Amino acid sequence: MKDDAAFMALALREARKGLGRTSPNPAVGAVVVSGGRVVGKGFHRKAGTPHAEVHALAAAGEAARGATLYVTLEPCNHTGRTPPCSLAVLGAGIRRVVIGMSDPNPLATGGGDFLASQGLEVIRGVLADACAAINRPFAKHVTTGLPWVIMKAGMSLDGRIATHTGHSGWITNERSRAAVHRLRDRVDAILVGVGTALADDPSLTTRLASGRGRDPLRVVLDTDLRLPPTARMLLQESDAPTWLFCGPRPDPARARALTAAGAVVKPVALGAHGRLELAAVLRELGASQINSLLVEGGGAVHGAFLAEQLVDEVNLYLAPSFIGGDGVPVVGAMGIDTVQGARRLKNMRTRRMGSDLFIEGFF
């Protein structure tokens, strides 16, 4: 029904309010409609707190009886840190439930079937693609135990992220940089290689115009613990920790110095060519309830993630400039022999960011 899509769009608007705040839970929105009028709405705010349906039903009060509930994700049907939403929906007197996407969590699914068994009309799959899109990280994590990996880079038109001297500041414009900070605000963790950390001494924080940004967990791939204890990311004021993934036998003195500076040292196995095993890094992050990971480089790190087919999404910001073949490429060596073996993006979209061009795509 046309009205179902319109009201689900309102529920999606509610869900987006929780993006970046609900992990490891999904972002969910709900709207209660009676007589063609919205009488209650809500969204999931934070893991461990009431779900979207509970907020919407509370806002509706007695008006929920006989009404329709629109919810972007199937109501949960199990007791976790909160009671089952399916029982809350039933108890509120809702007569019709419209669901955007089924719950991919095998522990929580079944709410739609339960409500149908109790005599409620249940409609599924309304704006399903849009509802799934906002929760790609949750769906991947809950089904595989691994985080959703986003490769991000700001680069010149000829695919360079730095000059031959290593200088990389301000390739893209302010609008693109603001978009990156909004992205940082939504992800759980941000990752760079130690080469980037040493060259740029980045803060890896979120800086929004509103000043209300949330810093993601900072992750550095640092096989030999080369990051100095005086690195900016260890000295700044931030609620987010910094994790250093290193080889299985780190130098004890370096490990102690970095730990004293506030870093968390995480030894993992080495893979090919003596590099850190990226799959092991992702497993560790996933086990720590990290749903989403933003990989910001440099080129060698991007190449390694792509070569091992560990990237889910790509966000590229292209500035209208040329740096030249002696500059640092956005992607390092991948060992591809033929053009047919190249990694190709799907479902691409582009958008102008002032003078820059934004490209988004998925594998």
Side-chain angles (χ1 to χ4, degrees):
M1 291 176 59
K2 183 177 180 181
D3 287 349
D4 283 347
F7 287 124
M8 186 61 74
L10 292 179
L12 272 165
R13 185 182 302 174
E14 288 295 305
R16 292 187 183 100
K17 295 177 182 178
L19 283 174
R21 301 295 182 270
T22 63
S23 186
N25 286 1
V28 183
V31 171
V32 180
V33 176
S34 179
R37 183 173 63 91
V38 174
V39 295
K41 57 185 180 179
F43 66 96
H44 185 39
R45 300 171 186 271
K46 185 179 180 181
T49 67
H51 293 180
E53 301 94 316
V54 174
H55 286 299
L57 293 171
E62 284 300 310
R65 298 204 168 274
T68 296
L69 171 69
Y70 294 85
V71 60
T72 57
L73 181 72
E74 178 183 18
C76 66
N77 198 42
H78 83 304
T79 299
R81 284 190 279 180
T82 58
C85 288
S86 55
L87 293 181
V89 172
L90 185 65
I94 290 288
R95 290 295 176 224
R96 183 171 181 263
V97 180
V98 180
I99 296 170
M101 66 173 287
S102 297
D103 194 334
N105 185 349
L107 296 177
T109 192
D113 289 342
F114 168 77
L115 292 171
S117 74
Q118 300 301 305
L120 279 70
E121 180 185 1
V122 177
I123 307 297
R124 305 172 190 264
V126 176
L127 300 188
D129 289 346
C131 292
I134 66 171
N135 278 314
R136 292 184 184 105
F138 166 74
K140 181 184 179 184
H141 183 255
V142 80
T143 55
T144 70
L146 302 175
W148 179 264
V149 178
I150 306 168
M151 175 188 138
K152 168 264 163 185
M155 63 188 196
S156 62
L157 285 177
D158 53 347
R160 296 308 194 255
I161 57 175
T163 68
H164 72 96
T165 66
H167 184 256
S168 61
W170 314 115
I171 291 178
T172 55
N173 63 26
E174 290 186 9
R175 185 171 172 184
S176 294
R177 294 195 294 274
V180 169
H181 283 283
R182 290 194 296 272
L183 178 58
R184 287 182 177 184
D185 184 53
R186 296 197 302 269
V187 299
D188 295 334
I190 179 172
L191 179 149
V192 298
V194 69
T196 295
L198 293 174
D200 298 342
D201 194 20
S203 61
L204 300 184
T205 55
T206 299
R207 298 181 294 280
L208 299 180
S210 65
R212 296 194 297 270
R214 178 187 60 89
D215 291 342
L217 167 71
R218 291 177 289 275
V219 178
V220 181
L221 301 181
D222 189 2
T223 306
D224 300 313
L225 292 183
R226 292 193 290 146
L227 189 78
T230 55
R232 182 186 304 176
M233 68 179 73
L234 298 177
L235 299 180
Q236 66 198 350
E237 291 186 12
S238 175
D239 293 333
T242 298
W243 288 8
L244 306 180
F245 281 95
C246 62
R249 290 179 292 277
D251 180 272
R254 291 179 183 177
R256 284 194 299 271
L258 287 163
T259 300
V264 179
V265 176
K266 296 269 188 179
V268 294
L270 297 179
H273 309 296
R275 297 173 181 169
L276 297 180
E277 187 179 302
L278 296 181
V281 171
L282 294 183
R283 287 194 297 270
E284 177 71 19
L285 291 171
S288 298
Q289 302 302 303
I290 298 298
N291 275 6
S292 54
L293 173 67
L294 182 62
V295 177
E296 290 205 1
V301 171
H302 287 159
F305 269 88
L306 287 169
E308 296 185 31
Q309 301 188 27
L310 298 175
V311 177
D312 299 296
E313 177 181 347
V314 171
N315 284 193
L316 300 176
Y317 298 84
L318 277 71
S321 62
F322 294 91
I323 290 177
D326 56 349
V328 180
V330 64
V331 175
M334 292 175 58
I336 293 175
D337 295 325
T338 66
V339 172
Q340 289 70 28
R343 300 297 316 284
R344 292 186 179 273
L345 292 171
K346 300 179 180 179
N347 302 321
M348 287 181 58
R349 71 182 180 101
T350 61
R351 185 170 73 246
R352 287 289 298 273
M353 305 289 286
S355 60
D356 291 350
L357 178 67
F358 171 69
I359 299 176
E360 177 188 63
F362 301 87
F363 286 114

